[in-house]
Amino acid sequence: MPRTSTLPEAETSGPALFESWGRYPNYRGNLVPLNWQSDFPAAVEGLHNGALPVGMGRSYGDVCLLKDGNLLVTTGMNRLLDFDPATGVLTAESGITLAQILDFAVPRGFFLPVTPGTKYVTLGGAIANDIHGKNHEVAGSFGNHVPSFELVRSDGSRRLCSSTENPDWFAATIGGMGLTGLITWAQLRLKPIVSRSIDYEGIQFHGIDEFLALKDQYKHVEYTVSWVDCVSTGNNFARGIFMAGDHSKTPGPLTQTPEPKLSLPFDLPGFLLNSTTVSLFNTAFFHKQIKPHVANPVDYEPFFYPLDKVLHWNRGYGKNGLLQFQYAIPWEHAKEGTIAILHEIAKSGLASFLAVLKTFGEIPSLGMMSFPLAGIMFALDFPIKANISFPLMQRLGDMTREFGGRLYSAKDACMTPEQFQAFYPQWEKFARYRDPMFTSSFWERVTGETPTL
Ligand SMILES: Cc1cc2nc3c(=O)[nH]c(=O)nc-3n(C[C@H](O)[C@H](O)[C@H](O)COP(=O)(O)OP(=O)(O)OC[C@H]3O[C@@H](n4cnc5c(N)ncnc54)[C@H](O)[C@@H]3O)c2cc1C
């Protein structure tokens, strides 16, 4: 497959910095590129300090980092192995990106069953975090569309995993944060489309009640997501834009997407992002949609991947990086929890403009450690300001816990061990499936466990 120009910069082998998308924390590791499925475990023979597979480093915190350990860089292992147009089932090596899958699939009339807000993630990374998209209510999470994969352990043993073969390893590896072994290849069930176009509707809302009413009104639409203004208070508290879309049913072009041209080549000074600039941006964004309700066709790229237009946009937060806070709170406390947390965020004056509100549906995830649960999901980026950001993250994590919710490990750099173990009480059962050589800075931070090889 052609390689995208957006691979992590750490492409060589040997000691180097491998950054996650949040660029915090910041650790060096020993890069071990895997180009062939047979490279592992031979490539780590004689190496110490543990190992962790990594894809595009599009997780935000330290789930894809291992301080001073060996990072198995999978992006060279990106071959397409098989595709059956009758069933839509594609088989590929785990380092292929969703962007590469789209380049292959869209011209043939197929689309990803679930996609995150960036297409620059690998198939292996999507399974290991059991990612979710704007269609969680109707499609569940990514693992629900993975019929099978191969898992290779550091002792060289290979397991074919599916819901019927090695089902416990299948469940532990979906959402297993790369800790159960290396996924070498996987199958993915694609869905048919007849056009690149999305039938889009954007509706302004004011407050969580209006957001919830829109969610019910649009439950027949496959994709829904909302941008919410986390800075404004008073009458404008929790105003936002509810965005809904379905794949167009009218046949239209099915061409490939050209490579993005814009890139942020250097770090912007962190002070550019302050409460005044964010407030101005939020007001402009809310009113960019002049009418309260618009309906028009849009291409799938700006609908699913608006941020991919500017490569390395994370540099806009300056060299300190950013933190992401992302929770899911079950319906029982979803509304009160969301209102309380939004008030706390507005009070802090630290919110950025990248805030996403959506609901998760009832389809259970197949992963033992998967994040989604039926209720409200909210995600927000924060710039890092040493004395304010970390205490705020701790407070927001505690509030999430009080409301019975949990945080998303793929986006986390701040969860305490107490919080993690309360959010994921099954963690000790999961730990029995961890490869003795595999660990991550995240895992060591929230459990204290270290590799035994
Ligand atoms: C702009 C943006 C928007 C996003 N939107 C969403 C969203 O809407 N929904 C969502 O769920 N997530 C979202 N994410 C997060 C992202 O989808 C996940 O973090 C994803 O897992 C990143 O994949 P990656 O290839 O970059 O993997 P990495 O970040 O490099 O690694 C992620 C995890 O996968 C493991 N892993 C990677 N490859 C393998 C393998 N071959 N075998 C075993 N384990 C492996 C790693 O060990 C690590 O634990 C977003 C991220 C960004 C930057």
Side-chain angles (χ1 to χ4, degrees), residues 21 52-60 63-64 74 94 116-118 121-122 124-125 128-129 131-132 177-178 181-183 313 408 410-411:
W21 194 247
L52 181 73
V54 292
M56 292 289 282
R58 267 5 186 225
S59 303
Y60 277 65
V63 81
C64 63
T74 60
S94 62
T118 172
V121 308
T122 60
N129 275 328
I131 60 167
H132 55 268
M177 300 169 284
L182 174 76
I183 301 166
W313 59 260
Y408 190 12
K411 304 286 190 75

